[in-house]
Amino acid sequence: MYYWAPCEISLARDLERIQAIVRTAARELVGADGATFVLPENGMCYYAAEDAIKPTFQGQRFPMEKCIGGWAMRRGEAAVIPDVNEDDRIPIEAYLPTYIKSLVMVPVRAAAPLASIGNYWARRHAPTQAEVNLLQTLADATAVAMENVTAYRELEHRVETRTRSLQQLMEDVESFSAFVSHDLRAPIRHIGAFASMLSSEHAAILPESARVLVHRISDSVKRMSSLIDALLELARCAQLQITKTRVDMRVLVEAEIAALRHEISSSVSFDIGDLPSCSAQPTLMRQVWSNLLSNAVKYSVGSDAPRIDIGGSRQGSEVIYCVRDNGIGFDSRNARELFSILHRFHAGSRFEGTGIGLAIAHKIVVRHGGRIWADSHPGAGATFYFALPVEESHEPVRTEVGSAFGG
Ligand SMILES: Nc1ncnc2c1ncn2[C@@H]1O[C@H](COP(=O)(O)OP(=O)(O)OP(=O)(O)O)[C@@H](O)[C@H]1O
Ligand SMILES: [Mg+2]
């Protein structure tokens, strides 16, 4: 006896494969002389596939009301016919030239049939209930497989549409970046140049109030330029290819601290604890440290003894890193907002910045499959964490310091 493998049909990814499995399985399941697979098609029945001792109806179409495949689908029930000559559901003129004497036809999905499956016998044979049940079981598995194929196609279609619109979006971002860098920079440069000509060449004839205004124009131009740079940097890190290697985080952190020490006048003490290596893109990772450490410095230099602790540890399937400072802190109930672009808690002249550093860090960490978050209280310092997935590798750790892009 033939044992058809239900898993074979559940793995079928297209209708042709389903038909191929079903026509063989149906016939061999009950030792019939032929099996057929019938599909509804614009009010007709299309005898799509068969496996038989002699060809019968394969490739032919009949009106739904005039064939037994259509009868099983319209009624949503099995047609059991021991003798085709004695059953008035049978269009006998179609059957006379064939070998078929007996048949059973079952619907695929009784509620809203998707197809029907039939078995034929060349001698008179009364199909038993067990045979009908076997065929119906095959039809039920076929229904699930056909529904899967439809769902699979829909998914594929959705993925294609999504991919197309993502590509479109990327192209839009690229052309926007090009627009920003070229078209927007030029007029800003002109405004800056004219403002500086005004203050250098016409200072003598400008009243004090006008000189103050010119100064303000120059400041705004500088701010606008750095905003444009920051936006371009964000767009750039969204587009960069991520090629991961083993990264020695300690090397990156030490390099970043050395760079920061050159920039700050007041003394800040740094304490570096454990810093496990990770699998990441080193330049982007340095950018994350750069943004977190420069914030820790910026928002703690005013405190009595600024101190920054850096560490990391493996926790389950992640390595979690943290940067803790004892600066002004913030109300961490709104911490999530900080990772969105241009969001600042401490705006104004006291702290310089554009509000883009954490958005960049967030983008980089998320692109590495990780997450980033913060914990703080006003006046009690802040701790920023980021977690990266552990990816086991036996590759030796060799991290070039490089520099975080953007300086
Ligand atoms: N360590 C910290 N302590 C207190 N507040 C912080 C800290 N880090 C970030 N913040 C708050 O989060 C805001 C966003 O930080 P982010 O780094 O994105 O921007 P920024 O530092 O203001 O400017 P820049 O674009 O130059 O980095 C900051 O303006 C500040 O209000
Ligand atoms: Mg910052």
Side-chain angles (χ1 to χ4, degrees):
M1 186 162 189
Y2 173 82
Y3 291 99
W4 64 281
C7 80
E8 206 186 340
I9 199 167
S10 72
L11 291 176
R13 283 289 167 260
D14 55 54
L15 195 55
E16 288 69 36
R17 180 79 193 119
I18 293 177
Q19 287 173 19
I21 296 170
V22 167
R23 67 178 171 196
T24 314
R27 184 178 169 194
E28 296 188 15
L29 210 51
V30 293
D33 298 314
T36 188
F37 187 81
V38 187
L39 287 168
E41 198 188 77
N42 305 324
M44 303 286 278
C45 277
Y46 172 47
Y47 281 65
E50 72 178 14
D51 179 35
I53 50 170
K54 280 187 213 151
T56 57
F57 309 121
Q58 178 159 3
Q60 296 187 45
R61 289 171 174 81
F62 302 98
M64 271 279 175
E65 311 72 37
K66 295 212 170 121
C67 67
I68 206 70
W71 189 93
M73 277 191 263
R74 283 186 294 124
R75 299 285 293 258
E77 62 183 80
V80 182
I81 300 179
D83 190 336
V84 292
N85 293 301
E86 288 171 11
D87 198 301
D88 54 13
R89 290 173 290 180
I90 290 290
I92 195 63
E93 64 291 356
Y95 279 75
L96 283 178
T98 72
Y99 68 87
I100 304 169
K101 296 285 178 289
S102 307
L103 67 88
V104 57
M105 185 73 75
V106 296
V108 172
R109 197 172 74 179
L114 300 166
S116 50
I117 301 173
N119 270 344
Y120 301 135
W121 284 268
R123 64 198 147 74
R124 201 180 175 288
H125 169 77
T128 64
Q129 191 56 46
E131 285 169 338
V132 177
N133 289 350
L134 267 177
L135 202 59
Q136 191 59 59
T137 306
L138 173 65
D140 293 345
T142 307
V144 175
M146 288 176 79
E147 283 164 358
N148 281 348
V149 164
T150 312
Y152 189 73
R153 278 209 194 123
E154 262 168 33
L155 265 180
E156 257 181 344
H157 178 70
R158 253 192 258 169
V159 168
E160 265 171 36
T161 322
R162 272 278 172 86
T163 310
R164 259 201 307 276
S165 59
L166 265 179
Q167 271 165 350
Q168 183 58 49
L169 206 67
M170 295 287 278
E171 281 165 24
D172 289 351
V173 169
E174 273 166 29
S175 48
F176 175 72
S177 304
F179 161 74
V180 168
S181 53
H182 295 107
D183 302 16
L184 216 56
R185 266 188 212 276
I188 287 167
R189 216 177 24 246
H190 292 156
I191 298 169
F194 291 134
S196 97
M197 273 162 71
L198 257 184
S199 62
S200 59
E201 293 171 24
H202 304 280
I205 56 162
L206 283 181
E208 176 57 21
S209 57
R211 282 204 296 272
V212 170
L213 288 179
V214 173
H215 189 70
R216 284 204 191 150
I217 293 173
S218 299
D219 275 356
S220 299
V221 164
K222 275 188 211 139
R223 182 153 173 71
M224 186 75 181
S225 298
S226 55
L227 264 175
I228 290 174
D229 288 345
L231 284 174
L232 282 173
E233 203 174 300
L234 186 66
R236 217 179 115 198
C237 79
Q239 287 166 16
L240 277 179
Q241 278 282 337
I242 304 238
T243 312
K244 293 184 182 177
T245 54
R246 295 301 305 164
V247 175
D248 185 336
M249 293 297 228
R250 181 173 292 274
V251 171
L252 295 189
V253 168
E254 282 171 354
E256 202 46 49
I257 290 175
L260 275 172
R261 281 199 200 277
H262 278 102
E263 289 170 22
I264 46 180
S265 45
S266 39
S267 75
V268 176
S269 74
F270 291 93
D271 185 82
I272 309 180
D274 276 349
L275 272 178
S277 64
C278 69
S279 173
Q281 209 280 0
T283 320
L284 292 177
M285 233 1 90
R286 173 145 183 203
Q287 186 71 43
V288 173
W289 285 115
S290 168
N291 295 4
L292 296 184
L293 290 168
S294 62
N295 278 351
V297 169
K298 177 161 56 174
Y299 298 105
S300 64
V301 278
S303 52
D304 290 344
R307 177 193 164 89
I308 295 170
D309 295 304
I310 302 130
S313 62
R314 179 164 173 172
Q315 293 183 26
S317 56
E318 295 177 317
V319 188
I320 301 183
Y321 301 95
C322 71
V323 176
R324 177 173 297 114
D325 65 63
N326 60 349
I328 55 170
F330 54 86
D331 184 345
S332 60
R333 275 177 301 180
N334 306 319
R336 285 171 70 97
E337 293 166 13
L338 289 181
F339 300 99
S340 52
I341 186 166
L342 307 182
H343 218 101
R344 306 190 73 207
F345 284 167
H346 310 99
S349 54
R350 193 171 157 214
F351 299 102
E352 280 192 356
T354 50
I356 210 143
L358 288 179
I360 289 177
H362 175 259
K363 175 129 285 169
I364 294 173
V365 170
V366 168
R367 288 207 60 201
H368 278 78
R371 54 204 181 91
I372 185 166
W373 68 101
D375 187 20
S376 179
H377 294 287
T383 308
F384 281 81
Y385 301 89
F386 66 98
L388 297 174
V390 172
E391 286 165 36
E392 301 296 353
S393 154
H394 303 296
E395 193 191 323
V397 183
R398 214 182 309 111
T399 301
E400 305 272 329
V401 172
S403 74
F405 57 69

